[in-house]
């Protein structure tokens, strides 16, 4: 099997400059890092949450605004005991053909439920979290949506978080 | 997003299909899968692969030693897709080779 590249070379050199020239500030670069938090218990005792930018949301909840020129900075709570048929996708920025056949390719709720049932993880938070990506104001996202979701993750008693930037 | 959660003392790990973006924003821990957008956990009905990707990510929660950890999962998109096609054929969801190429 072919091994993936381990080089640190940019796959698309110049992309950042190009996009930032057209949409100033839309592509962020971070040099500072956040110190790692430690997992305080074994995985089998840890309550996991899942945060996704795939626009997956419970049927009947307010659809994400997928055509707003600056973006939608709201989020939805997805009950972690949901079945895929309880959920729908509101996002245009990635191919959803396969997600509509098997939601687990982008929002693996059934696999997470199985890992919890088997005791591989201690459990899931009552809700998982969902928003849409391709928001054009990353500072606003950092200052509002990111903080709101982080607070909600804490409030649900998460011990660890799996994130999926779609 | 990931930084905001980690700052609250909750360890985080993300799955990325965009290595260049992840290298720019440097989240605390990430697993890179070289897959098509919208397929972070692989291909439809390939439960073993979906599970393997989640477990690889959860493993980084304890295995990562430094912030900015970026772990490339040793798999290719072509391989994932081949396996997915075989699974769908076995499930009767797909025909033979001609359709598989579509």
């Amino acid at each position: 099997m072919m091994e993936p590249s381990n080089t640190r070379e940019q796959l698309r050199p110049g992309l950042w400059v190009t996009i930032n020239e057209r949409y100033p500030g839309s592509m962020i670069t971070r040099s500072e890092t956040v110190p790692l938090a430690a997992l305080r218990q074994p995985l089998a005792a840890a309550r996991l949450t899942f945060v996704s930018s795939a626009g997956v949301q419970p049927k009947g909840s307010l659809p994400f605004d997928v055509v707003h020129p600056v973006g939608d900075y709201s989020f939805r709570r997805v009950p972690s005991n949901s079945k895929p048929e309880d959920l729908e996708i509101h996002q245009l920025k990635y191919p959803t053909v396969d997600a509509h056949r098997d939601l687990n390719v982008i929002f693996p709720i059934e696999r997470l439920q199985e890992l919890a049932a088997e005791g591989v993880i201690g459990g899931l938070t009552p809700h998982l979290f969902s928003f849409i990506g391709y928001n054009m104001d990353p500072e606003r996202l950092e200052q509002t949506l990111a903080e709101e979701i982080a607070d909600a993750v804490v409030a649900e008693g998460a011990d660890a978080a799996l994130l999926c930037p779609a | 997003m990931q930084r905001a959660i980690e700052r609250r003392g909750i360890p985080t790990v993300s799955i990325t299909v965009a290595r260049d973006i992840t290298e720019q924003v440097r989240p605390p821990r990430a697993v890179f899968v070289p897959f098509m957008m919208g397929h972070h956990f692989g291909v439809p009905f390939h439960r073993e692969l979906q599970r393997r990707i989640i477990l690889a990510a959860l493993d980084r929660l304890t295995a990562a030693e430094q912030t900015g950890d970026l772990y490339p999962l040793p798999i290719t998109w072509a391989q994932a897709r081949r396996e997915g096609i075989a699974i769908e054929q076995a499930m009767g969801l797909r025909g033979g080779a001609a359709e598989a190429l579509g």
Side-chain angles (χ1 to χ4, degrees):
Chain A
M1 186 177 65
M2 195 180 79
E3 290 296 317
S5 162
N6 273 319
T7 68
R8 309 303 279 183
E9 287 171 17
Q10 283 295 302
L11 301 178
R12 291 172 284 177
L15 178 74
W16 248 242
V17 174
T18 306
I19 296 180
N20 271 324
E21 278 174 354
R22 181 158 183 177
Y23 302 107
S26 62
M27 302 295 274
I28 58 170
T29 301
R30 286 286 177 270
S31 53
E32 85 283 5
T33 50
V34 179
L36 294 185
L39 190 61
R40 294 196 194 90
Q41 57 279 95
L43 199 55
R47 181 184 273 195
L48 182 70
T49 197
F50 179 59
V51 181
S52 163
S53 68
V56 173
Q57 55 186 111
K59 286 179 180 170
S61 61
L62 181 68
F64 288 112
D65 185 347
V66 295
V67 293
H68 194 286
V70 183
D72 184 337
Y73 298 80
S74 65
F75 72 94
R76 306 285 179 272
R77 289 179 170 83
V78 177
S80 59
N81 61 359
S82 299
K83 296 183 171 72
E85 53 266 34
D86 301 331
L87 307 174
E88 59 189 11
I89 302 171
H90 288 278
Q91 174 62 310
L92 305 173
K93 302 295 189 181
Y94 65 91
T96 52
V97 173
D98 280 344
H100 282 119
R101 300 174 67 222
D102 179 5
L103 185 65
N104 295 289
V105 300
I106 191 69
F107 198 92
I109 190 164
E110 290 180 301
R111 300 293 88 76
L112 293 170
Q113 290 165 350
E114 288 162 9
L115 292 173
E118 294 167 21
V120 176
I121 57 174
L124 294 170
T125 51
H127 297 92
L128 313 178
F129 299 92
S130 180
F131 63 106
I132 55 172
Y134 270 80
N135 290 310
M136 295 300 284
D137 187 345
E139 279 183 22
R140 178 175 169 194
L141 188 144
E142 271 193 304
Q143 289 162 12
T144 61
L145 181 57
E147 295 296 318
E148 289 164 15
I149 289 184
D151 284 341
V153 164
V154 171
E156 296 237 353
D159 299 310
L162 176 65
L163 294 91
C164 181
Chain B
M1 186 77 59
Q2 192 172 344
R3 290 161 178 264
I5 298 171
E6 191 93 19
R7 276 196 205 100
R8 284 163 174 75
I10 297 171
T12 62
V13 60
S14 56
I15 311 280
T16 176
V17 296
R19 185 173 190 148
D20 50 352
I21 294 180
T22 301
E23 288 178 351
Q24 291 282 345
V25 300
R26 303 188 70 187
R29 304 174 197 79
V31 170
F32 170 62
V33 289
F35 293 171
M36 187 176 158
M37 281 182 72
H39 298 74
H40 291 53
F41 298 91
V43 291
F45 315 115
H46 196 335
R47 295 178 173 213
E48 184 275 330
L49 177 61
Q50 295 166 1
R51 180 185 172 101
R52 183 179 150 206
I53 292 168
I54 297 171
L55 291 176
L58 297 181
D59 183 59
R60 302 313 297 167
L61 290 172
T62 47
E65 293 176 354
Q66 285 190 334
T67 186
D69 181 76
L70 179 54
Y71 175 80
L73 197 72
I75 189 170
T76 64
W77 173 240
Q79 181 192 355
R81 193 166 144 71
R82 273 195 301 271
E83 292 175 4
I85 288 169
I87 288 167
E88 289 194 30
Q89 285 171 339
M91 293 170 73
L93 295 174
R94 229 182 226 275
E99 192 184 337
L101 291 171

Short mmCIF file of all heavy atoms in Angstrom, two decimals, chain A residues 90-119:
data_model
loop_
_atom_site.label_atom_id
_atom_site.label_comp_id
_atom_site.label_asym_id
_atom_site.label_seq_id
_atom_site.Cartn_x
_atom_site.Cartn_y
_atom_site.Cartn_z
N HIS A 90 -28.14 20.45 5.88
CA HIS A 90 -28.29 21.73 5.20
C HIS A 90 -26.91 22.35 5.03
O HIS A 90 -26.43 23.07 5.89
CB HIS A 90 -29.21 22.66 6.00
CG HIS A 90 -30.64 22.25 5.92
ND1 HIS A 90 -31.47 22.56 4.88
CD2 HIS A 90 -31.38 21.48 6.75
CE1 HIS A 90 -32.66 22.03 5.07
NE2 HIS A 90 -32.64 21.36 6.20
N GLN A 91 -26.27 22.01 3.95
CA GLN A 91 -24.99 22.61 3.60
C GLN A 91 -24.71 22.28 2.16
O GLN A 91 -25.00 21.18 1.69
CB GLN A 91 -23.86 22.11 4.54
CG GLN A 91 -22.45 22.58 4.17
CD GLN A 91 -22.24 24.08 4.21
OE1 GLN A 91 -23.01 24.83 3.63
NE2 GLN A 91 -21.19 24.52 4.86
N LEU A 92 -24.14 23.24 1.43
CA LEU A 92 -23.93 23.07 -0.01
C LEU A 92 -22.45 22.93 -0.35
O LEU A 92 -22.12 22.75 -1.52
CB LEU A 92 -24.48 24.30 -0.75
CG LEU A 92 -25.94 24.66 -0.49
CD1 LEU A 92 -26.28 26.00 -1.16
CD2 LEU A 92 -26.86 23.57 -1.00
N LYS A 93 -21.58 23.03 0.63
CA LYS A 93 -20.17 23.23 0.32
C LYS A 93 -19.34 21.95 0.25
O LYS A 93 -18.13 22.02 0.13
CB LYS A 93 -19.55 24.17 1.36
CG LYS A 93 -20.23 25.52 1.43
CD LYS A 93 -20.06 26.31 0.16
CE LYS A 93 -20.57 27.74 0.36
NZ LYS A 93 -20.45 28.53 -0.86
N TYR A 94 -19.96 20.83 0.39
CA TYR A 94 -19.23 19.58 0.18
C TYR A 94 -20.18 18.59 -0.48
O TYR A 94 -21.39 18.74 -0.38
CB TYR A 94 -18.66 19.03 1.50
CG TYR A 94 -19.72 18.59 2.50
CD1 TYR A 94 -20.19 17.29 2.52
CD2 TYR A 94 -20.23 19.49 3.43
CE1 TYR A 94 -21.16 16.88 3.43
CE2 TYR A 94 -21.20 19.10 4.35
CZ TYR A 94 -21.65 17.79 4.35
OH TYR A 94 -22.61 17.40 5.24
N PRO A 95 -19.65 17.58 -1.17
CA PRO A 95 -20.53 16.62 -1.83
C PRO A 95 -21.29 15.78 -0.80
O PRO A 95 -20.67 15.19 0.09
CB PRO A 95 -19.57 15.73 -2.64
CG PRO A 95 -18.24 16.36 -2.55
CD PRO A 95 -18.23 17.28 -1.38
N THR A 96 -22.62 15.75 -0.93
CA THR A 96 -23.43 15.04 0.07
C THR A 96 -24.08 13.78 -0.50
O THR A 96 -24.90 13.17 0.17
CB THR A 96 -24.52 15.97 0.63
OG1 THR A 96 -25.24 16.52 -0.47
CG2 THR A 96 -23.94 17.08 1.48
N VAL A 97 -23.72 13.41 -1.73
CA VAL A 97 -24.36 12.23 -2.34
C VAL A 97 -24.18 11.00 -1.44
O VAL A 97 -25.13 10.30 -1.10
CB VAL A 97 -23.79 11.97 -3.75
CG1 VAL A 97 -24.33 10.66 -4.31
CG2 VAL A 97 -24.16 13.12 -4.68
N ASP A 98 -22.94 10.74 -1.03
CA ASP A 98 -22.70 9.57 -0.20
C ASP A 98 -23.25 9.75 1.21
O ASP A 98 -23.72 8.79 1.83
CB ASP A 98 -21.20 9.25 -0.15
CG ASP A 98 -20.75 8.49 -1.40
OD1 ASP A 98 -21.63 7.95 -2.12
OD2 ASP A 98 -19.54 8.44 -1.66
N ALA A 99 -23.22 10.96 1.74
CA ALA A 99 -23.79 11.21 3.08
C ALA A 99 -25.29 10.93 3.09
O ALA A 99 -25.84 10.49 4.10
CB ALA A 99 -23.51 12.64 3.52
N HIS A 100 -25.94 11.17 1.97
CA HIS A 100 -27.37 10.87 1.91
C HIS A 100 -27.64 9.37 1.82
O HIS A 100 -28.73 8.90 2.14
CB HIS A 100 -28.02 11.61 0.74
CG HIS A 100 -28.28 13.06 1.04
ND1 HIS A 100 -27.71 14.10 0.32
CD2 HIS A 100 -29.02 13.65 2.02
CE1 HIS A 100 -28.10 15.26 0.85
NE2 HIS A 100 -28.89 15.00 1.88
N ARG A 101 -26.65 8.61 1.39
CA ARG A 101 -26.81 7.15 1.36
C ARG A 101 -26.45 6.55 2.71
O ARG A 101 -27.04 5.57 3.13
CB ARG A 101 -25.92 6.56 0.26
CG ARG A 101 -26.29 7.11 -1.13
CD ARG A 101 -25.32 6.64 -2.18
NE ARG A 101 -25.45 5.21 -2.38
CZ ARG A 101 -24.43 4.38 -2.53
NH1 ARG A 101 -23.19 4.85 -2.50
NH2 ARG A 101 -24.63 3.12 -2.71
N ASP A 102 -25.43 7.11 3.34
CA ASP A 102 -25.00 6.63 4.67
C ASP A 102 -24.42 7.83 5.41
O ASP A 102 -23.28 8.23 5.17
CB ASP A 102 -23.95 5.52 4.53
CG ASP A 102 -23.46 5.02 5.89
OD1 ASP A 102 -23.99 5.47 6.93
OD2 ASP A 102 -22.53 4.19 5.91
N LEU A 103 -25.23 8.39 6.30
CA LEU A 103 -24.83 9.63 6.99
C LEU A 103 -23.51 9.47 7.74
O LEU A 103 -22.79 10.44 7.97
CB LEU A 103 -25.95 10.03 7.98
CG LEU A 103 -25.76 11.35 8.71
CD1 LEU A 103 -25.80 12.52 7.73
CD2 LEU A 103 -26.82 11.53 9.79
N ASN A 104 -23.19 8.21 8.11
CA ASN A 104 -21.99 7.97 8.91
C ASN A 104 -20.69 8.37 8.21
O ASN A 104 -19.66 8.49 8.86
CB ASN A 104 -21.92 6.50 9.31
CG ASN A 104 -23.07 6.12 10.23
OD1 ASN A 104 -23.11 6.52 11.38
ND2 ASN A 104 -24.03 5.37 9.70
N VAL A 105 -20.71 8.58 6.91
CA VAL A 105 -19.46 8.99 6.24
C VAL A 105 -19.03 10.40 6.66
O VAL A 105 -17.85 10.74 6.55
CB VAL A 105 -19.52 8.90 4.70
CG1 VAL A 105 -19.81 7.49 4.23
CG2 VAL A 105 -20.50 9.88 4.10
N ILE A 106 -20.00 11.21 7.13
CA ILE A 106 -19.62 12.56 7.55
C ILE A 106 -20.06 12.83 8.99
O ILE A 106 -19.49 13.70 9.66
CB ILE A 106 -20.22 13.63 6.57
CG1 ILE A 106 -19.63 15.01 6.83
CG2 ILE A 106 -21.73 13.67 6.64
CD1 ILE A 106 -18.18 15.15 6.45
N PHE A 107 -21.05 12.11 9.47
CA PHE A 107 -21.59 12.31 10.83
C PHE A 107 -21.84 10.92 11.41
O PHE A 107 -22.95 10.40 11.35
CB PHE A 107 -22.88 13.13 10.73
CG PHE A 107 -23.31 13.79 12.01
CD1 PHE A 107 -22.92 15.09 12.30
CD2 PHE A 107 -24.12 13.12 12.92
CE1 PHE A 107 -23.32 15.71 13.48
CE2 PHE A 107 -24.53 13.75 14.10
CZ PHE A 107 -24.13 15.04 14.37
N PRO A 108 -20.77 10.29 11.96
CA PRO A 108 -20.83 8.86 12.25
C PRO A 108 -21.58 8.52 13.54
O PRO A 108 -21.07 7.85 14.44
CB PRO A 108 -19.35 8.48 12.34
CG PRO A 108 -18.71 9.71 12.88
CD PRO A 108 -19.48 10.87 12.30
N ILE A 109 -22.82 8.96 13.60
CA ILE A 109 -23.57 8.84 14.85
C ILE A 109 -23.81 7.38 15.23
O ILE A 109 -23.75 7.03 16.41
CB ILE A 109 -24.88 9.66 14.77
CG1 ILE A 109 -25.55 9.74 16.13
CG2 ILE A 109 -25.82 9.14 13.68
CD1 ILE A 109 -26.60 10.81 16.25
N GLU A 110 -24.02 6.52 14.23
CA GLU A 110 -24.25 5.11 14.57
C GLU A 110 -22.97 4.44 15.09
O GLU A 110 -23.02 3.62 16.00
CB GLU A 110 -24.80 4.36 13.36
CG GLU A 110 -26.22 4.78 13.02
CD GLU A 110 -26.76 4.02 11.81
OE1 GLU A 110 -26.15 4.11 10.73
OE2 GLU A 110 -27.79 3.35 11.95
N ARG A 111 -21.83 4.79 14.49
CA ARG A 111 -20.57 4.21 14.97
C ARG A 111 -20.28 4.69 16.40
O ARG A 111 -19.79 3.94 17.23
CB ARG A 111 -19.41 4.59 14.05
CG ARG A 111 -19.54 4.15 12.59
CD ARG A 111 -19.49 2.64 12.41
NE ARG A 111 -20.82 2.03 12.52
CZ ARG A 111 -21.77 2.08 11.57
NH1 ARG A 111 -21.53 2.69 10.44
NH2 ARG A 111 -22.95 1.50 11.76
N LEU A 112 -20.58 5.96 16.67
CA LEU A 112 -20.35 6.49 18.02
C LEU A 112 -21.27 5.80 19.02
O LEU A 112 -20.85 5.45 20.13
CB LEU A 112 -20.57 8.00 18.03
CG LEU A 112 -19.55 8.82 17.22
CD1 LEU A 112 -19.98 10.28 17.10
CD2 LEU A 112 -18.16 8.75 17.87
N GLN A 113 -22.52 5.59 18.62
CA GLN A 113 -23.46 4.89 19.51
C GLN A 113 -22.98 3.47 19.79
O GLN A 113 -23.08 2.98 20.92
CB GLN A 113 -24.85 4.88 18.87
CG GLN A 113 -25.51 6.25 18.84
CD GLN A 113 -26.72 6.32 17.90
OE1 GLN A 113 -26.98 5.40 17.13
NE2 GLN A 113 -27.46 7.43 17.97
N GLU A 114 -22.43 2.81 18.76
CA GLU A 114 -21.92 1.44 18.95
C GLU A 114 -20.73 1.42 19.91
O GLU A 114 -20.64 0.56 20.79
CB GLU A 114 -21.50 0.86 17.59
CG GLU A 114 -22.67 0.52 16.68
CD GLU A 114 -22.26 0.35 15.20
OE1 GLU A 114 -21.04 0.34 14.91
OE2 GLU A 114 -23.17 0.26 14.37
N LEU A 115 -19.82 2.39 19.75
CA LEU A 115 -18.64 2.43 20.63
C LEU A 115 -19.06 2.65 22.08
O LEU A 115 -18.46 2.10 23.00
CB LEU A 115 -17.67 3.52 20.17
CG LEU A 115 -16.98 3.27 18.83
CD1 LEU A 115 -16.17 4.49 18.40
CD2 LEU A 115 -16.07 2.04 18.90
N ALA A 116 -20.11 3.45 22.26
CA ALA A 116 -20.62 3.68 23.62
C ALA A 116 -21.28 2.41 24.16
O ALA A 116 -21.05 2.01 25.31
CB ALA A 116 -21.60 4.85 23.62
N ALA A 117 -22.08 1.74 23.32
CA ALA A 117 -22.79 0.53 23.76
C ALA A 117 -21.80 -0.58 24.11
O ALA A 117 -22.04 -1.36 25.03
CB ALA A 117 -23.74 0.07 22.66
N GLU A 118 -20.68 -0.62 23.38
CA GLU A 118 -19.67 -1.67 23.62
C GLU A 118 -18.75 -1.32 24.78
O GLU A 118 -17.94 -2.15 25.19
CB GLU A 118 -18.82 -1.86 22.36
CG GLU A 118 -19.59 -2.42 21.17
CD GLU A 118 -18.79 -2.30 19.88
OE1 GLU A 118 -17.54 -2.16 19.95
OE2 GLU A 118 -19.41 -2.30 18.81
N GLY A 119 -18.84 -0.10 25.27
CA GLY A 119 -17.97 0.29 26.37
C GLY A 119 -16.57 0.71 25.96
O GLY A 119 -15.70 0.87 26.81
#
